[in-house]
Amino acid sequence: MKRLKWRGLIVICVLILAIIYLIPTFVSELPSWWKEFLPQNKIQLGLDLKGGIHLVLGVKAEEAVKTSVDNLADEIETNLREEKLPYLEVKREGLKDIKVILVRKEDVEHFKKIIEEKIPDLLCKGAERKDRLEIVKLSLKSEREGEIKRMAIVQVLETIRNRIDQFGVAEPDIRLQGRERILVQLPGIKDPQRAINIISRTARLEFKLLAEEASIEEALKGNIPPGCEILYGIKEDPLTHKKIKIPYLVKKRTLLTGDYIADARVLIDPELNEPYVAITFNKQGARIFARITEANVGKRLAIILDNRVHSAPVIREKIPHGEARITGAFTLEEARDLAVVLRAGALPAPIRILEERTVGPSLGQDSIRKGVKASIIAGSLVIIFMIIYYGFSGIIADIALMVNLILLLAGLAMFQATLTLPGIAGIALTIGMAVDANVLIFERIREELRLGRTIRSAIEAGYRKAFWTIFDANTTTLLTALILFQFGTGPVKGFAVTLSLGILANMFTAVFMSKVIFDYLIYRFNMRKLSI
């Protein structure tokens, strides 16, 4: 009797715990005291049920290699100036090669030594003399190239995660798929294009000086001075509201990048009544910005985002506090999105969308409705069959079946698992498997009763003899579900989750809980006859 009380207590506690975890899913407004002491986890719906977007992104890791080689070229120039070695040009060629043109032949060996000691990522491929100039060819080492590509993919993944977090999407699924692809699933997105824009924007922020000493007109004719480039800005005509491309001749050398941004927020310009993005640099960025503005008072500093000049104000004085603003006739939404990507950081390499699927919320609701309808019909038929075939014992099996469903759904909420359309199929499958265990037990009990055993003895023997058969069947199915979870993706993983939880709930209700009910009825009512 004492053991029966304990087993009954375990069943009641598990049932109460399951109901507590299910309430937040089905009750929209919870009292304030609930939020302080009790769980608030809800069953999360997958992309196929809630609607949203599914993206497979490819990372152009080669661009990260090019950027790294460009930085190394800048570093070479710095070293040449420090060592006072005259040179004509330092330029990247192709993906990972750098061509250096030195003026004097006697500087070649000295230059090679500098590369070997200070820039070990580069390998000297040789030198040749041409037109009285010394041309040294360098190349990025293969192992370093592979490392840069791997790091670029990892950084892109983390940056996209940061952007999605700041965008405020609940339960996103963002992970590597293979070696160079990134899977992004955003359930519940109402504006897919806006989300895609935020994810795919490179958001490379740069500060460069304008080449005011040269003529922009001559540069547009093709006479671009060395070390300079033409970039464009977009300005809207206040009268015609047409967008006009404005060319700027800027120096290629980047003085400061968005890597030093500590914060970016949207503010409203009180004079123009237009939103702009105010950025604040971290301590290191603030020091660099102060040094740049101090050294270039009176010059124009271009603020460039993704190779587009947003503004080019004149530096009036030293700016010591590391604050700047990005203007550009933004809408409030555009300014907010820009602040999000700047806070999350720039992508180290551009991305391209390889696959894009949008699932509408109405399609998801339709899937839920049909899935629930199928589960109710299947469950009802099983309940009716069990009552007709096993009588009163069938009612006990039906109670176990309903508790099984409650435990399964509570498990989804407790573990924050995502319910997908195949997951609903997993629930329907669990319904069948749940009564299968009871059928095995009941048939064993029938056999024992036919041999003349008492009800108590027949039930004990029936559960004991059927246990290992049920255990083996559920264990093999559970192993299959775990393999599906480990190697499956998206909907397949959702199916594996519901199937696994259903099997565990089945073992508890069919083998443990229904036995407790039988034992209680025999003890309490001293049953002489069993309807089975």
Side-chain angles (χ1 to χ4, degrees):
M1 177 59 191
K2 191 175 180 181
R3 288 185 58 193
L4 179 60
K5 282 184 178 178
W6 276 109
R7 286 189 291 152
L9 189 62
I10 291 172
V11 171
I12 292 170
C13 288
V14 170
L15 193 56
I16 291 174
L17 187 65
I19 292 172
I20 288 173
Y21 269 98
L22 271 184
I23 286 177
T25 300
F26 296 101
V27 179
S28 55
E29 292 293 332
L30 294 170
S32 56
W33 57 266
W34 182 288
K35 297 177 181 177
E36 293 181 13
F37 303 106
L38 296 171
Q40 304 170 51
N41 300 341
K42 295 182 179 180
I43 297 175
Q44 303 295 331
L45 299 181
L47 196 68
D48 49 357
L49 298 180
K50 197 175 182 179
I53 57 173
H54 166 100
L55 300 171
V56 177
L57 307 173
V59 181
K60 297 179 181 176
E62 296 79 13
E63 296 299 320
V65 177
K66 288 180 181 176
T67 303
S68 296
V69 174
D70 285 336
N71 293 336
L72 291 175
D74 291 341
E75 194 174 340
I76 290 172
E77 286 194 81
T78 303
N79 280 286
L80 287 172
R81 285 194 292 269
E82 287 177 354
E83 297 291 331
K84 297 181 179 175
L85 301 181
Y87 67 98
L88 199 63
E89 186 180 46
V90 179
K91 183 182 178 182
R92 173 177 58 81
E93 288 190 328
L95 177 64
K96 59 176 187 176
D97 294 336
I98 297 177
K99 183 175 79 172
V100 182
I101 302 179
L102 299 174
V103 175
R104 300 182 308 207
K105 186 178 180 180
E106 57 269 27
D107 292 335
V108 173
E109 290 304 318
H110 186 191
F111 173 71
K112 287 181 180 178
K113 194 173 180 182
I114 291 172
I115 296 298
E116 190 178 333
E117 292 177 353
K118 296 187 177 180
I119 314 178
D121 291 339
L122 290 174
L123 187 69
C124 184
K125 294 174 68 178
E128 61 177 337
R129 185 171 179 81
K130 189 176 181 181
D131 299 332
R132 297 183 179 180
L133 295 171
E134 300 299 324
I135 301 174
V136 182
K137 292 191 176 180
L138 306 168
S139 182
L140 186 69
K141 290 180 179 175
S142 298
E143 55 269 30
R144 179 59 181 152
E145 179 189 354
E147 186 181 347
I148 291 170
K149 287 181 176 177
R150 285 193 297 275
M151 287 302 298
I153 293 168
V154 172
Q155 285 178 21
V156 167
L157 181 70
E158 290 303 315
T159 304
I160 290 176
R161 277 192 181 135
N162 289 337
R163 289 182 181 183
I164 295 302
D165 286 346
Q166 298 211 17
F167 188 48
V169 179
E171 295 302 315
D173 185 3
I174 305 165
R175 52 197 155 84
L176 275 177
Q177 191 178 58
R179 296 177 62 184
E180 296 183 351
R181 294 185 174 186
I182 295 173
L183 173 71
V184 179
Q185 290 189 334
L186 306 177
I189 284 287
K190 295 178 181 175
D191 189 349
Q193 190 54 49
R194 186 183 172 198
I196 291 171
N197 291 340
I198 287 178
I199 290 171
S200 59
R201 191 170 193 173
T202 305
R204 173 81 177 163
L205 181 66
E206 298 171 291
F207 291 80
K208 296 181 179 180
L209 285 173
L210 257 60
E212 297 177 273
E213 65 280 7
S215 166
I216 183 65
E217 289 78 14
E218 287 295 319
L220 288 171
K221 292 176 183 174
N223 301 319
I224 302 174
C228 297
E229 61 183 341
I230 296 176
L231 297 177
Y232 289 88
I234 304 292
K235 189 176 180 182
E236 186 177 292
D237 190 306
L239 298 176
T240 62
H241 297 290
K242 286 186 179 178
K243 291 187 176 178
I244 308 167
K245 285 180 70 175
I246 301 175
Y248 292 89
L249 184 63
V250 300
K251 296 184 178 179
K252 282 185 178 179
R253 189 184 173 204
T254 302
L255 301 178
L256 184 62
T257 68
D259 296 339
Y260 299 95
I261 288 178
D263 189 24
R265 59 193 185 282
V266 179
L267 297 175
I268 304 295
D269 189 318
E271 295 181 4
L272 301 174
N273 197 28
E274 286 182 351
Y276 68 91
V277 178
I279 56 176
T280 306
F281 293 107
N282 58 25
K283 288 183 179 178
Q284 187 181 359
R287 282 197 297 271
I288 297 172
F289 195 56
R291 194 164 61 243
I292 292 168
T293 51
E294 184 180 24
N296 297 284
V297 172
K299 298 180 181 176
R300 295 181 69 187
L301 184 67
I303 302 175
I304 302 160
L305 186 66
D306 293 337
N307 285 330
R308 175 182 158 189
V309 178
H310 275 260
S311 59
V314 178
I315 302 171
R316 301 291 181 191
E317 58 186 350
K318 176 185 176 183
I319 304 175
H321 304 300
E323 293 177 347
R325 62 164 61 183
I326 303 175
T327 58
F330 300 118
T331 64
L332 191 58
E333 188 175 85
E334 288 171 342
R336 283 175 180 162
D337 291 349
L338 177 58
V340 166
V341 297
L342 288 176
R343 282 199 299 270
L347 295 178
I351 58 175
R352 61 180 181 276
I353 297 174
L354 303 176
E355 182 184 337
E356 177 186 345
R357 279 191 282 124
T358 302
V359 181
S362 58
L363 180 61
Q365 288 299 321
D366 188 50
S367 301
I368 293 174
R369 192 169 53 253
K370 288 181 178 176
V372 170
K373 186 179 177 182
S375 299
I376 290 174
I377 292 173
S380 300
L381 290 175
V382 168
I383 287 171
I384 293 169
F385 171 81
M386 292 299 289
I387 293 174
I388 292 174
Y389 198 73
Y390 291 106
F392 179 74
S393 298
I395 295 175
I396 294 176
D398 292 338
I399 293 171
L401 172 64
M402 286 183 275
V403 173
N404 188 328
L405 282 176
I406 292 173
L407 295 182
L408 195 161
L409 295 175
L412 288 173
M414 182 186 297
F415 296 111
Q416 290 285 280
T418 302
L419 180 61
T420 60
L421 189 58
I424 294 178
I427 292 174
L429 178 61
T430 302
I431 291 172
M433 293 180 63
V435 291
D436 184 55
N438 285 111
V439 168
L440 282 172
I441 294 168
F442 291 171
E443 290 300 324
R444 282 286 186 180
I445 294 174
R446 276 181 172 179
E447 289 176 7
E448 298 300 323
L449 288 173
R450 286 192 203 105
L451 293 174
R453 292 198 177 209
T454 62
I455 294 175
R456 185 190 295 272
S457 175
I459 290 174
E460 288 289 341
Y463 272 91
R464 188 178 64 253
K465 292 180 178 178
F467 175 79
W468 288 110
T469 305
I470 298 169
F471 181 81
D472 291 346
N474 282 291
T475 301
T476 51
T477 310
L478 184 62
L479 286 173
T480 306
L482 292 175
I483 292 170
L484 284 176
F485 181 82
Q486 179 65 32
F487 297 103
T489 59
V492 175
K493 192 170 269 191
F495 174 79
V497 169
T498 51
L499 185 60
S500 302
L501 290 173
I503 290 168
L504 296 175
N506 183 29
M507 288 295 291
F508 177 78
T509 56
V511 178
F512 184 78
M513 194 192 86
S514 62
K515 175 77 165 36
V516 172
I517 295 174
F518 274 119
D519 289 346
Y520 176 77
L521 292 174
I522 291 171
Y523 173 79
R524 183 73 176 79
F525 299 104
N526 195 21
M527 293 172 64
R528 303 283 182 186
K529 186 178 179 183
L530 180 62
S531 173
I532 190 167

